[in-house]
Amino acid sequence: MPIDVYPVSQELAVYLRKKLLAWEQNNYPAFPWRDEIPPFHALVAEVLLQRTRAEQVVPVYLNFVRVFPNPASLAQTNIPDIEKVIAPLGLRWRARFLHELGKELVADGSVPANLVSLRKLSGVGPYAASAYLSFHVGRRVPIVDSNVVRFYGRFFGFRTGPETRRDRQLLDLADSIMPKRAFKRFNYALIDFTRAICRPKPLHDICPVAKRCAFYRERFRGEFNFT
Ligand code: SF4
């Protein structure tokens, strides 16, 4: 699946950055894992957020940090008891990975701060590793989940599939759009915007980038003057 819109023009990248950062100023959700929190809880939050809506994760996360203040407490708890804590999210199989994660972090002594080591930890997928580095370590790493893939596919007008988020061109495109300095704010804007506006049933009417969106222009061709 070639992404033939890459490389993106500098003008379009600047447009997207400005619009999304401006949108985020009025729409930033203060989730508890966006505060200054210990690395262990930050990593667990990003693991729980994989394939789960943030609003659903909030009460589970708050209970989790109360029950498991550190990796040792997680490692010493049996899997059925971990399951009870994360049960509201469904996906109970994650309890086994979290238990392993606790043991690995106890053995390592700290949460690693690089992509390769993070990806070796149990339950830490590409999204969780990138989100941890960007939001909690301050590394300039693009965040690409299924929502972001859907948005870029619609905005730039290319077809997407289940494997697109691993596509090298997509990752290069995401990297080229991310600002050099305000990357953390931009990444928050991107995941918040794709969750709230460019969602599966998109809210075109209140979308700040509709004017330049390929999907929107194609769908409403002839109804508006886009120039
Ligand atoms: S106009 Fe619609 S499809 Fe395009 S980015 Fe906005 S919400 Fe998504």
Side-chain angles (χ1 to χ4, degrees):
M1 188 254 352
I3 297 175
D4 54 14
V5 296
Y6 180 75
V8 171
S9 77
Q10 185 62 11
E11 184 273 329
L12 192 53
V14 169
Y15 168 86
L16 256 188
R17 282 177 211 143
K18 274 190 180 166
K19 290 288 184 186
L20 293 188
L21 286 170
W23 179 87
E24 182 75 348
Q25 274 191 333
N26 298 318
N27 295 281
Y28 177 82
F31 292 121
W33 48 84
R34 293 187 178 184
D35 292 335
E36 285 289 319
I37 53 174
F40 165 57
H41 289 152
L43 182 60
V44 167
E46 300 304 344
V47 168
L48 295 178
L49 286 163
Q50 294 174 129
R51 291 185 235 154
T52 314
R53 285 179 48 244
E55 291 78 5
Q56 253 185 301
V57 172
V58 172
V60 173
Y61 168 80
L62 292 174
N63 191 35
F64 188 99
V65 301
R66 187 182 59 76
V67 177
F68 305 116
N70 49 48
S73 57
L74 183 59
Q76 288 158 9
T77 301
N78 61 42
I79 293 173
D81 285 343
I82 300 172
E83 273 183 7
K84 283 181 199 150
V85 174
I86 64 167
L89 299 179
L91 304 174
R92 282 170 175 251
W93 50 265
R94 277 196 281 205
R96 187 164 52 82
F97 287 117
L98 286 168
H99 188 239
E100 285 302 312
L101 178 63
K103 290 199 283 187
E104 290 159 1
L105 293 178
V106 169
D108 291 351
S110 63
V111 179
N114 67 79
L115 210 49
V116 173
S117 301
L118 281 165
R119 289 287 281 112
K120 287 180 182 162
L121 294 171
S122 295
V124 180
Y127 170 82
S130 300
Y132 176 78
L133 287 177
S134 174
F135 299 139
H136 306 284
V137 181
R139 293 275 160 79
R140 187 180 173 280
V141 182
I143 305 289
V144 176
D145 65 2
S146 57
N147 290 350
V148 171
V149 169
R150 181 179 62 239
F151 166 57
Y152 281 150
R154 285 171 175 169
F155 184 82
F156 292 110
F158 57 82
R159 284 228 302 247
T160 63
E163 291 305 309
T164 307
R165 65 198 160 102
R166 290 184 237 281
D167 186 295
R168 187 67 253 167
Q169 275 183 296
L170 188 276
L171 296 174
D172 288 344
L173 178 141
D175 186 75
S176 72
I177 295 167
M178 187 174 47
K180 293 277 181 278
R181 292 208 182 99
F183 57 85
K184 181 173 167 179
R185 272 203 305 133
F186 177 80
N187 282 340
Y188 274 140
L190 191 59
I191 60 170
D192 292 337
F193 171 81
T194 56
R195 185 181 60 244
I197 305 294
C198 196
R199 54 198 204 182
K201 282 191 178 175
L203 303 181
H204 306 303
D205 292 348
I206 55 169
C207 175
V209 297
K211 197 175 165 190
R212 304 282 301 267
C213 172
F215 181 90
Y216 186 79
R217 291 170 72 100
E218 179 62 28
R219 175 166 272 204
F220 298 102
R221 186 198 297 267
E223 291 185 34
F224 301 104
N225 179 3
F226 286 112
T227 55

